[in-house]
Amino acid sequence: MKDKRYERAGMLPFRVEECYRKLVESIRAGRLSDQPGQFPRDEHAAKWAGYLAHYVADNTQPHHATIDYQSQTYFAHKRNAPRVHFEMEFRLVDDEHADFPQTRALYWDAFDAALKTVEDLVQTDDLWQATCEVSLLSYDALPLIGLAAMHAAAQAGTPDKPQGPAAEKFDTEAFFRFKGSYLGRDMTVAEMKAHQQAWAVKRIEKLWRKAWDEASAE
C-alpha cells in the first residue's frame, strides 16, 4: 500500500477487517485455541478474537481519530505539553505513584451505568465503513478532552490561542472531573471515557457474535 493518504489517515479500518476475517477463518477451520500439533500453533480463533477486540476498542479512543493524538494544539509550548493521550487512556490504571481511588470509583460507577444504557451508535454491517464512522463520532470528544487538559495543566489562554507555560504537574483528578459537551449532552471526562469503553464492549460483543454466526453458516 503506497498511497501516502492511507499513511496519514491510518490503517485501523483495514486492520479491523483483517482481524475479523482471520477470526472467521479460524472458527470455520475449527482452530479455536492453542493446540499441540496444530500448525501454525498460534493461529487460532482466541488469538484473532483478542486482536479484533483490541482494535475495535482502540477505535473508540478519541485520540486515535486525529493527527493531534496528544492534544498538543491546546498548549502554547507544544514540545512541553503534557501527555494527554496517556492521561486519557492509561493514567487511572498505570501510575507508579498514585492509585486515584476516588476517581477510579467515579469512573467505575459511570462505566457500570453506561454498560446498561449505551447502544452501538453505528448500524452498518460494512466493517470498514463502521470503523470510519466510530472514529468520526469519537472525534467529537476531542474538544472536551482538550479543554479538560488545559484546565488540569493550568494552561492560560483559549483553545485557539493558548498562552504561557502550562503547570509542571498535571492534575489527573481535575482532568477526569472536568465537565463539557459530547454527543449533545454535558458529561465529565470520566463519564465520556466510560461511554466510549462501554461502546467498545458493545461493538466487540456484536462482532464476535457476527464472526461466529458467519463461520457457522457454511
Side-chain angles (χ1 to χ4, degrees):
M1 192 175 293
K2 298 179 180 180
D3 192 325
K4 292 294 183 181
R5 290 175 297 178
Y6 287 126
E7 209 172 281
R8 288 180 59 82
M11 301 295 182
L12 187 59
F14 301 101
R15 186 59 166 156
V16 169
E17 279 189 326
E18 179 190 29
C19 292
Y20 177 85
R21 177 172 50 82
K22 292 285 190 179
L23 176 57
V24 171
E25 290 173 357
S26 296
I27 296 172
R28 189 175 290 153
R31 299 192 305 271
L32 300 184
S33 61
D34 189 352
Q35 297 292 335
Q38 179 174 277
F39 183 81
R41 181 166 176 165
D42 66 347
E43 198 66 21
H44 50 73
K47 166 190 170 179
W48 288 108
Y51 274 30
L52 179 61
H54 172 91
Y55 290 109
V56 169
D58 262 358
N59 197 193
T60 64
Q61 213 287 39
H63 279 127
H64 295 162
T66 176
I67 195 170
D68 184 23
Y69 61 91
Q70 290 285 9
S71 294
Q72 288 182 330
T73 56
Y74 289 84
F75 293 88
H77 300 163
K78 294 175 177 48
R79 287 191 176 183
N80 297 323
R83 295 188 300 160
V84 183
H85 191 128
F86 176 81
E87 294 288 342
M88 181 68 204
E89 192 164 337
F90 300 112
R91 177 69 76 186
L92 290 184
V93 295
D94 190 19
D95 191 292
E96 296 181 359
H97 307 290
D99 291 328
F100 308 106
Q102 294 180 335
T103 305
R104 284 185 182 181
L106 178 73
Y107 165 76
W108 192 256
D109 287 344
F111 181 59
D112 183 56
L115 285 172
K116 297 180 176 71
T117 59
V118 168
E119 297 182 0
D120 188 4
L121 301 173
V122 173
Q123 298 304 315
T124 178
D125 288 329
D126 186 304
L127 283 182
W128 196 94
Q129 181 179 337
T131 306
C132 292
E133 289 185 16
V134 172
S135 291
L136 285 171
L137 286 165
S138 300
Y139 185 90
D140 289 342
L142 291 168
L144 169 56
I145 295 172
L147 288 169
M150 290 182 75
H151 173 69
Q155 173 63 68
T158 67
D160 292 332
K161 291 185 178 181
Q163 297 176 350
E168 291 186 11
K169 181 173 175 56
F170 189 92
D171 189 337
T172 297
E173 294 185 334
F175 174 71
F176 279 105
R177 284 171 166 74
F178 185 88
K179 182 173 284 190
S181 179
Y182 176 52
L183 296 178
R185 63 181 188 271
D186 287 342
M187 62 179 75
T188 63
V189 172
E191 290 169 332
M192 181 272 290
K193 178 180 172 73
H195 175 279
Q196 295 301 104
Q197 294 198 305
W199 186 14
V201 169
K202 301 295 184 180
R203 285 200 53 74
I204 290 165
E205 288 176 345
K206 177 191 287 188
L207 293 181
W208 278 354
R209 180 58 184 266
K210 177 179 168 64
W212 182 268
D213 289 345
E214 183 176 331
S216 303
E218 297 183 5

